[in-house]
Amino acid sequence: MYSKARHLKKQLKIKLFNRQTGKFEIEDTYRGESLWFLYNTFPGKVFTNSVLNKHLVSKVYGSAVKSRQSKSLIKKFVEHYDINLSEVKKPLGSFRSFNDFFIRELNEDARPIDQNPYHLIAPADSRLLVFDLKTNADFPVKGYWYSMQQLVKDKNLASEYNDGWCFIYRLAPADYHRF
């Protein structure tokens, strides 16, 4: 489970509940200070909405992480996020780029599927955010809050979900991103 972001000392802090340990933790947010600036200051919001959301920035960043030079980022990323390399199918030195590592293939037994029909199986390594739409009609997607009607752009369709639950699976940098 997840609680709303907490902003302390100009760093993005996200408090979440780790079901494996049974404890609340602060998520290790990649580039937390930069994210705080982008989401919480007027210049950051202007920059985010005018530059960062543009296709060109994504294309340039995508090219950079697909380059051979980006290989140097892999070791730091593994150490920073404590990536379990025993799950990875290929040896660390065999990746051609950071992106190649980021979408790495895992060993067959790395993510066993719980066979209990009464358990929810997550479709991805992620942080699960759950919203009861009866009591909280708005929910976050990529840093912006939406109502169901805003998201599906159809009033009648949105009304079918008024009494339902919204499950959002949010991938963090350390999560597995194969598909």
Side-chain angles (χ1 to χ4, degrees):
M1 294 293 163
Y2 165 90
S3 71
K4 288 187 179 178
R6 308 263 194 267
H7 304 288
L8 304 170
K9 295 184 182 175
K10 293 191 178 185
Q11 191 169 11
L12 192 63
K13 303 269 185 177
I14 299 174
K15 185 178 179 183
L16 54 89
F17 182 75
N18 184 329
R19 291 183 313 140
Q20 291 175 327
T21 64
K23 296 178 181 176
F24 281 95
E25 300 172 357
I26 300 297
E27 182 177 14
D28 184 6
T29 308
Y30 188 68
R31 306 266 190 211
E33 296 85 3
S34 300
L35 290 173
W36 187 92
F37 171 79
L38 293 173
Y39 296 140
N40 294 289
T41 66
F42 180 74
K45 289 176 183 180
V46 169
F47 182 70
T48 299
N49 293 323
S50 64
V51 177
L52 289 182
N53 288 341
K54 302 295 184 201
H55 181 71
L56 178 63
V57 173
S58 293
K59 200 170 187 168
V60 169
Y61 181 76
S63 293
V65 295
K66 289 177 185 173
S67 72
R68 289 206 178 273
Q69 291 78 15
S70 67
K71 266 182 91 165
S72 64
L73 301 173
I74 296 172
K75 187 176 178 190
K76 291 178 196 171
F77 186 85
V78 168
E79 290 171 1
H80 184 84
Y81 288 107
D82 196 25
I83 304 294
N84 183 354
L85 294 177
S86 69
E87 297 179 332
V88 181
K89 209 170 209 176
K90 293 173 22 177
L92 198 58
S94 67
F95 293 102
R96 296 181 310 271
S97 66
F98 179 78
N99 193 61
D100 189 28
F101 170 76
F102 198 67
I103 60 170
R104 63 198 172 274
E105 191 172 353
L106 298 182
N107 296 322
E108 299 269 331
D109 61 347
R111 299 291 183 275
I113 297 174
D114 184 342
Q115 299 299 314
N116 187 327
Y118 297 102
H119 290 176
L120 174 68
I121 300 171
D125 286 359
S126 60
R127 280 61 175 156
L128 173 61
L129 292 83
V130 179
F131 296 89
D132 179 350
L133 297 176
K134 278 188 277 191
T135 60
N136 189 5
D138 294 335
F139 46 87
V141 177
K142 293 283 189 177
Y144 299 95
W145 287 78
Y146 295 92
S147 67
M148 184 60 70
Q149 185 175 339
Q150 288 173 308
L151 192 66
V152 299
K153 299 191 185 314
D154 182 318
K155 187 177 182 177
N156 293 328
L157 179 61
S159 69
E160 293 182 33
Y161 296 96
N162 285 343
D163 294 331
W165 293 84
C166 177
F167 289 65
I168 298 174
Y169 296 88
R170 183 183 62 78
L171 275 68
D175 292 327
Y176 180 57
H177 284 73
R178 178 83 179 156
F179 300 101

